[in-house]
Amino acid sequence: MAIIAPGSTIGILGGGQLGRMTAMAARTMGYRVHVLDPDAECAASAVADRVVAAKFDDADAAADLASHCDVVTLEIEQIGVAALEAATRHAPLRPGAAILSVVQDRGRQKRWLAQNGFPIGEYRDVASAEEIDSATRELGPLIVKACHGGYDGRSQVRVDDVSQAREAWAALAARPSVAERVLDLESELSVLVARRPSGEIVVFPPAFNVHERQILAWSVLPAPLPPRITQQAVEIARGIAESFRLEGILAVEMFVLRDGTLLVNELAPRPHNSFHETEVACSTSQFEQLVRAVCDLPLGDTRALRPGAIFNLFGDLWLNGPPRFEAALAQPGVRLHLYGKRGPRPGRKMGHLSAIGDTPEDALARVRAAAIAIQ
Ligand code: ADP
Ligand code: MG
């Protein structure tokens, strides 16, 4: 298989912060970058050679993007099937349509995981208020998640008892959903695996993640968890990437239950918020790894050279004027990453702080001090 050499053009479906940071890594390695995004002034536009401004289901636009690129990848999995097929006709799409069609639909994703022997929590497919009602009777309190279109906890509704079934179904706009049993979580972790078309696979050390209101608040790598758990997590992620014959990178979000059981939460075949630490902790960032993987270049070293932590910065911070960046940057080992988004809105990811430390706890203490100082 031919490599896609530096100097070639990489297309990215999606121009948010993940596309922007991928584009920056690609440019460091001498690639040209074209981006497709509904917003011509998207976060990635500042570092792209070309922006195709179009919706993610616009097949003509996807064909236009791909026809000027040597390979196409993505930073968001909710791309219309026709657009993915159109792109594939003009350039290799990595990751390919097979993994994307499974991951795009939460129900299909869960069935695939269960059928391929990967551990997941108990759930039911639901397509009516009555089915949510009976799922609650069988499983107890639920988180009902629409099969299509949610992220950062959106399109999800908690149902504590049967009286809430009808309301929940209305809140989900009567969309087919999965109803998951609310799990008693000890902790959450994620694993990032990279595979190139010629078959080489590497895995980053797992990250330890803390969510607030269902959105990632902070993350630290390597996860300070027992090796028994992190080794098992790495094996699961590697197994999933192999089963899909992944071309690109894949983040596997996992739950650790109080009794130590490890379950797969969900899959994201793209860069992931919980691996932003790789930019400061590892010799290869997740973004460079994606570039290497889709170009079929030798994959980079995934070891953590030192622990790293990140803390997300949401639009809320801007409500009372600009954040105190200088106070955050005065903390030792801390870096600022802003995505160049113009409109700060509550809950919108605007950037993150990162820090390195001698131990995961140390990195976390530093980034947390910066996150307090910035307010
Ligand atoms: P998203 O696609 O928005 O990331 P997730 O399914 O990963 O949605 O859910 C977001 C977060 O909500 C999880 O990381 C976890 O903290 C919490 N959560 C989701 N499902 C469950 C569950 N079944 N039990 C307990 N907590 C859950
Ligand atoms: Mg998630």
Side-chain angles (χ1 to χ4, degrees):
M1 206 168 306
I3 67 153
I4 293 163
S8 307
T9 303
I10 299 175
I12 307 176
L13 298 168
Q17 64 266 22
L18 303 176
R20 174 186 171 102
M21 290 183 276
T22 302
M24 284 158 73
R27 299 202 95 162
T28 298
M29 293 178 71
Y31 289 93
R32 298 177 67 78
V33 179
H34 293 188
V35 165
L36 184 150
D37 193 273
D39 178 5
E41 303 204 329
C42 60
S45 66
V47 286
D49 297 284
R50 179 183 183 218
V51 180
V52 177
K55 293 205 181 129
F56 293 133
D57 58 2
D58 185 333
D60 292 338
D64 177 21
L65 177 93
S67 62
H68 295 90
C69 293
D70 299 289
V71 62
V72 175
T73 187
L74 50 103
E75 58 121 47
I76 176 170
E77 47 277 1
Q78 302 299 340
I79 307 284
V81 176
L84 293 174
E85 283 168 0
T88 308
R89 279 197 284 278
H90 296 277
L93 175 71
R94 298 177 178 161
I99 181 169
L100 293 169
S101 73
V102 170
V103 168
Q104 280 180 348
D105 179 324
R106 280 188 195 273
R108 232 183 133 186
Q109 186 183 137
K110 284 189 181 297
R111 269 192 302 285
W112 186 92
L113 288 165
Q115 282 166 1
N116 286 275
F118 298 103
I120 58 171
E122 274 194 277
Y123 78 100
R124 298 286 182 274
D125 293 301
V126 292
S128 66
E130 290 69 35
E131 287 179 1
I132 295 178
D133 186 315
S134 48
T136 319
R137 289 175 204 280
E138 288 178 65
L139 303 180
L142 305 171
I143 298 181
V144 189
K145 307 177 180 177
C147 285
H148 288 276
Y151 69 98
D152 284 349
R154 283 166 232 202
S155 300
Q156 302 192 6
V157 185
R158 182 158 169 143
V159 176
D160 284 298
D161 61 72
V162 286
S163 69
Q164 297 167 337
R166 200 151 296 278
E167 209 180 309
W169 183 240
L172 289 160
R175 284 175 291 169
S177 301
V178 293
E180 298 181 14
R181 182 202 287 275
V182 174
L183 300 163
D184 189 15
L185 304 184
E186 172 70 30
S187 54
E188 294 188 58
L189 76 163
S190 51
V191 184
L192 191 79
V193 45
R195 183 181 176 279
R196 58 189 277 216
S198 54
E200 185 192 3
I201 292 199
V202 296
V203 189
F204 283 94
F208 179 96
N209 307 324
V210 171
H211 294 77
E212 283 166 14
R213 284 169 288 125
Q214 290 165 293
I215 307 180
L216 186 72
W218 56 265
S219 177
V220 61
L221 175 155
L225 287 171
R228 182 189 67 76
I229 290 179
T230 53
Q231 279 159 15
Q232 199 190 336
V234 165
E235 270 160 39
I236 290 171
R238 185 186 277 274
I240 294 171
E242 271 165 359
S243 302
F244 277 122
R245 301 180 64 77
L246 171 73
E247 297 180 343
I249 64 175
L250 170 73
V252 183
E253 296 180 15
M254 300 189 207
F255 294 142
V256 185
L257 305 188
R258 302 254 175 233
D259 66 1
T261 306
L262 199 55
L263 299 175
V264 174
N265 171 27
E266 61 168 350
L267 309 177
R270 52 162 171 82
H272 193 268
N273 195 167
S274 65
F275 282 90
H276 291 353
E277 299 93 295
T278 55
E279 283 200 306
V280 293
C282 303
S283 68
T284 313
S285 74
Q286 62 168 338
F287 306 108
E288 179 181 333
Q289 199 72 288
L290 173 58
V291 171
R292 289 180 183 232
V294 302
C295 293
D296 206 13
L297 292 170
L299 298 175
D301 186 356
T302 55
R303 277 174 303 170
L305 305 174
R306 62 213 163 194
I310 61 117
F311 209 103
N312 275 337
L313 301 176
F314 295 99
D316 312 60
L317 257 183
W318 275 253
L319 283 180
N320 304 313
R324 299 175 60 222
F325 298 120
E326 67 291 355
L329 289 169
Q331 307 293 322
V334 167
R335 285 178 62 190
L336 173 68
H337 311 249
L338 285 184
Y339 309 145
K341 295 184 184 176
R342 267 170 261 269
R345 289 190 301 273
R348 188 176 196 205
K349 286 176 183 167
M350 301 298 292
H352 64 275
L353 296 166
S354 67
I356 50 171
D358 292 332
T359 63
E361 293 71 21
D362 184 29
L364 191 54
R366 284 171 158 191
V367 83
R368 195 176 261 141
I372 292 168
I374 204 171
Q375 293 178 15

